[in-house]
PDB file of all heavy atoms in Angstrom:
ATOM      1  N   GLY A 249      73.908 104.774  55.517  1.00  0.00           N
ATOM      2  CA  GLY A 249      73.155 104.709  56.771  1.00  0.00           C
ATOM      3  C   GLY A 249      73.191 106.072  57.432  1.00  0.00           C
ATOM      4  O   GLY A 249      73.675 107.040  56.850  1.00  0.00           O
ATOM      5  N   ALA A 250      72.684 106.144  58.659  1.00  0.00           N
ATOM      6  CA  ALA A 250      72.631 107.421  59.356  1.00  0.00           C
ATOM      7  C   ALA A 250      74.038 107.939  59.671  1.00  0.00           C
ATOM      8  O   ALA A 250      74.339 109.112  59.474  1.00  0.00           O
ATOM      9  CB  ALA A 250      71.821 107.267  60.634  1.00  0.00           C
ATOM     10  N   ASP A 251      74.917 107.043  60.130  1.00  0.00           N
ATOM     11  CA  ASP A 251      76.270 107.450  60.545  1.00  0.00           C
ATOM     12  C   ASP A 251      77.238 107.580  59.381  1.00  0.00           C
ATOM     13  O   ASP A 251      78.289 108.176  59.510  1.00  0.00           O
ATOM     14  CB  ASP A 251      76.865 106.381  61.478  1.00  0.00           C
ATOM     15  CG  ASP A 251      76.310 106.519  62.876  1.00  0.00           C
ATOM     16  OD1 ASP A 251      75.817 107.612  63.189  1.00  0.00           O
ATOM     17  OD2 ASP A 251      76.373 105.531  63.620  1.00  0.00           O
ATOM     18  N   GLY A 252      76.909 106.915  58.301  1.00  0.00           N
ATOM     19  CA  GLY A 252      77.864 106.897  57.204  1.00  0.00           C
ATOM     20  C   GLY A 252      77.419 105.884  56.190  1.00  0.00           C
ATOM     21  O   GLY A 252      76.231 105.733  55.942  1.00  0.00           O
ATOM     22  N   VAL A 253      78.381 105.175  55.628  1.00  0.00           N
ATOM     23  CA  VAL A 253      78.024 104.204  54.606  1.00  0.00           C
ATOM     24  C   VAL A 253      78.476 102.819  55.040  1.00  0.00           C
ATOM     25  O   VAL A 253      79.327 102.665  55.898  1.00  0.00           O
ATOM     26  CB  VAL A 253      78.677 104.555  53.250  1.00  0.00           C
ATOM     27  CG1 VAL A 253      78.166 105.896  52.767  1.00  0.00           C
ATOM     28  CG2 VAL A 253      80.194 104.555  53.366  1.00  0.00           C
ATOM     29  N   ARG A 254      77.885 101.803  54.431  1.00  0.00           N
ATOM     30  CA  ARG A 254      78.300 100.431  54.697  1.00  0.00           C
ATOM     31  C   ARG A 254      79.102  99.915  53.520  1.00  0.00           C
ATOM     32  O   ARG A 254      78.763 100.180  52.372  1.00  0.00           O
ATOM     33  CB  ARG A 254      77.084  99.536  54.870  1.00  0.00           C
ATOM     34  CG  ARG A 254      76.279  99.861  56.093  1.00  0.00           C
ATOM     35  CD  ARG A 254      75.090  98.970  56.104  1.00  0.00           C
ATOM     36  NE  ARG A 254      74.215  99.284  57.217  1.00  0.00           N
ATOM     37  CZ  ARG A 254      73.192  98.511  57.576  1.00  0.00           C
ATOM     38  NH1 ARG A 254      72.915  97.420  56.884  1.00  0.00           N
ATOM     39  NH2 ARG A 254      72.437  98.845  58.596  1.00  0.00           N
ATOM     40  N   ILE A 255      80.131  99.186  53.844  1.00  0.00           N
ATOM     41  CA  ILE A 255      80.876  98.488  52.792  1.00  0.00           C
ATOM     42  C   ILE A 255      80.813  97.003  53.098  1.00  0.00           C
ATOM     43  O   ILE A 255      80.590  96.596  54.231  1.00  0.00           O
ATOM     44  CB  ILE A 255      82.319  99.001  52.680  1.00  0.00           C
ATOM     45  CG1 ILE A 255      83.035  98.901  54.016  1.00  0.00           C
ATOM     46  CG2 ILE A 255      82.340 100.422  52.180  1.00  0.00           C
ATOM     47  CD1 ILE A 255      84.466  99.338  53.953  1.00  0.00           C
ATOM     48  N   ASP A 256      80.995  96.219  52.032  1.00  0.00           N
ATOM     49  CA  ASP A 256      80.674  94.804  52.199  1.00  0.00           C
ATOM     50  C   ASP A 256      81.871  93.974  52.660  1.00  0.00           C
ATOM     51  O   ASP A 256      82.229  92.998  52.030  1.00  0.00           O
ATOM     52  CB  ASP A 256      80.062  94.234  50.912  1.00  0.00           C
ATOM     53  CG  ASP A 256      81.033  94.304  49.742  1.00  0.00           C
ATOM     54  OD1 ASP A 256      82.080  94.977  49.874  1.00  0.00           O
ATOM     55  OD2 ASP A 256      80.739  93.696  48.707  1.00  0.00           O
ATOM     56  N   ILE A 257      82.507  94.383  53.706  1.00  0.00           N
ATOM     57  CA  ILE A 257      83.461  93.486  54.364  1.00  0.00           C
ATOM     58  C   ILE A 257      83.263  93.646  55.858  1.00  0.00           C
ATOM     59  O   ILE A 257      83.119  94.746  56.363  1.00  0.00           O
ATOM     60  CB  ILE A 257      84.918  93.770  53.952  1.00  0.00           C
ATOM     61  CG1 ILE A 257      85.831  92.780  54.650  1.00  0.00           C
ATOM     62  CG2 ILE A 257      85.331  95.195  54.269  1.00  0.00           C
ATOM     63  CD1 ILE A 257      87.236  92.740  54.113  1.00  0.00           C
ATOM     64  N   GLY A 258      83.245  92.517  56.568  1.00  0.00           N
ATOM     65  CA  GLY A 258      83.005  92.574  57.999  1.00  0.00           C
ATOM     66  C   GLY A 258      83.936  91.656  58.738  1.00  0.00           C
ATOM     67  O   GLY A 258      84.874  91.106  58.171  1.00  0.00           O
ATOM     68  N   ALA A 259      83.649  91.469  60.019  1.00  0.00           N
ATOM     69  CA  ALA A 259      84.536  90.686  60.862  1.00  0.00           C
ATOM     70  C   ALA A 259      84.688  89.256  60.372  1.00  0.00           C
ATOM     71  O   ALA A 259      85.751  88.677  60.468  1.00  0.00           O
ATOM     72  CB  ALA A 259      84.015  90.695  62.296  1.00  0.00           C
ATOM     73  N   LEU A 260      83.604  88.705  59.827  1.00  0.00           N
ATOM     74  CA  LEU A 260      83.689  87.319  59.376  1.00  0.00           C
ATOM     75  C   LEU A 260      84.684  87.164  58.235  1.00  0.00           C
ATOM     76  O   LEU A 260      85.224  86.098  58.025  1.00  0.00           O
ATOM     77  CB  LEU A 260      82.320  86.816  58.911  1.00  0.00           C
ATOM     78  CG  LEU A 260      81.349  86.484  60.022  1.00  0.00           C
ATOM     79  CD1 LEU A 260      80.114  85.837  59.438  1.00  0.00           C
ATOM     80  CD2 LEU A 260      81.987  85.538  61.036  1.00  0.00           C
ATOM     81  N   ASP A 261      84.881  88.248  57.504  1.00  0.00           N
ATOM     82  CA  ASP A 261      85.858  88.186  56.424  1.00  0.00           C
ATOM     83  C   ASP A 261      87.233  88.628  56.891  1.00  0.00           C
ATOM     84  O   ASP A 261      88.135  88.794  56.095  1.00  0.00           O
ATOM     85  CB  ASP A 261      85.393  89.027  55.244  1.00  0.00           C
ATOM     86  CG  ASP A 261      84.307  88.308  54.469  1.00  0.00           C
ATOM     87  OD1 ASP A 261      84.319  87.069  54.464  1.00  0.00           O
ATOM     88  OD2 ASP A 261      83.450  88.984  53.906  1.00  0.00           O
ATOM     89  N   GLY A 262      87.388  88.876  58.171  1.00  0.00           N
ATOM     90  CA  GLY A 262      88.737  89.044  58.668  1.00  0.00           C
ATOM     91  C   GLY A 262      89.125  90.387  59.217  1.00  0.00           C
ATOM     92  O   GLY A 262      90.238  90.539  59.676  1.00  0.00           O
ATOM     93  N   LEU A 263      88.262  91.371  59.209  1.00  0.00           N
ATOM     94  CA  LEU A 263      88.663  92.634  59.829  1.00  0.00           C
ATOM     95  C   LEU A 263      88.349  92.585  61.317  1.00  0.00           C
ATOM     96  O   LEU A 263      87.213  92.341  61.699  1.00  0.00           O
ATOM     97  CB  LEU A 263      87.899  93.801  59.223  1.00  0.00           C
ATOM     98  CG  LEU A 263      88.536  94.563  58.091  1.00  0.00           C
ATOM     99  CD1 LEU A 263      87.807  95.886  57.915  1.00  0.00           C
ATOM    100  CD2 LEU A 263      90.011  94.807  58.307  1.00  0.00           C
ATOM    101  N   PRO A 264      89.342  92.819  62.177  1.00  0.00           N
ATOM    102  CA  PRO A 264      89.060  92.781  63.608  1.00  0.00           C
ATOM    103  C   PRO A 264      87.967  93.786  63.974  1.00  0.00           C
ATOM    104  O   PRO A 264      87.978  94.930  63.525  1.00  0.00           O
ATOM    105  CB  PRO A 264      90.399  93.187  64.241  1.00  0.00           C
ATOM    106  CG  PRO A 264      91.426  92.901  63.200  1.00  0.00           C
ATOM    107  CD  PRO A 264      90.748  93.088  61.874  1.00  0.00           C
ATOM    108  N   SER A 265      87.007  93.331  64.779  1.00  0.00           N
ATOM    109  CA  SER A 265      85.877  94.201  65.098  1.00  0.00           C
ATOM    110  C   SER A 265      86.297  95.356  65.993  1.00  0.00           C
ATOM    111  O   SER A 265      85.572  96.323  66.157  1.00  0.00           O
ATOM    112  CB  SER A 265      84.779  93.381  65.779  1.00  0.00           C
ATOM    113  OG  SER A 265      85.334  92.732  66.897  1.00  0.00           O
TER     114      SER A 265
END
Side-chain angles (χ1 to χ4, degrees):
D251 281 339
V253 298
R254 294 177 184 191
I255 55 178
D256 62 349
I257 181 167
L260 284 187
D261 283 330
L263 265 196
S265 55

